[in-house]
Amino acid sequence: GLARQCVVFNCSDQIDYKMMGKLYSGVVSAGAWVCLDEFNRISIEVLSVVAQQVLEIRQALLQGLTEFVFESRHLKVKNTCGIFITMNPGYAGRAELPDNLKVLFRPVAMMVPDYALIAEIMLYAEGFGTAKELSPKFTKLFSLSSEQLSKQDHYDFGMRAVKSVLVMAGGLKRTDPEGVEAVLMIRAMRDSNVPKFLSHDLPLFFAIVNDLF
């Protein structure tokens, strides 16, 4: 009774209403939670049908039913089930949620994660003894780069990029356990970022690295 099964499902424009129906059937029957990541990548036509599916599940829960007919199948209902969605509204190729679907979900405020703390923990996990000193410099480098370098579609200074650099730094640390950790960190940042930067951004990037390290 201490745990709840939670399924994270990555949505795309290839998903149809039948796939969503099967997913919801399993969630309702198991009493699990499902997180539909980037929900608004699903096409608007499918979202309109999904709204009806979610409404049927919600009505069954509100009525306290133990079983109901969903997508022409008799299903048992466990009232611990839950449906959560995440969205990136400003991205290209994302659909606006239909109003009849929007009203079925309650918005939740999100906060920006503490990148320095995440970096510190990951660096400790990768074997860095000076993680507490390196993590603020590392996150400051990403912050300054995102603000001062030119804006390009292929530049990424988000959490995925942070994680990939930290994993690369861990690999370098295992290859050279006795190496200076600050130098290994700089190598990881250089190797993962320099190939994607435009030539006019490189001097500024190296200047930021020199200032911080």
Side-chain angles (χ1 to χ4, degrees), residues 9 11-16 20 36 38-47 50 93-95:
F9 188 77
C11 299
S12 76
D13 55 4
Q14 304 300 311
I15 290 172
D16 60 25
M20 295 303 295
L36 302 166
E38 297 195 272
F39 188 60
N40 56 329
R41 287 180 66 186
I42 301 173
S43 66
I44 190 70
E45 295 82 5
V46 176
L47 286 174
V50 166
R94 305 303 197 264

Side-chain angles (χ1 to χ4, degrees), residues 121-131 170 173-174 177 181:
I121 292 168
M122 285 194 66
L123 284 173
Y124 274 129
E126 295 287 356
F128 281 75
T130 57
K173 176 69 175 175
R174 286 185 289 277
E181 292 184 343

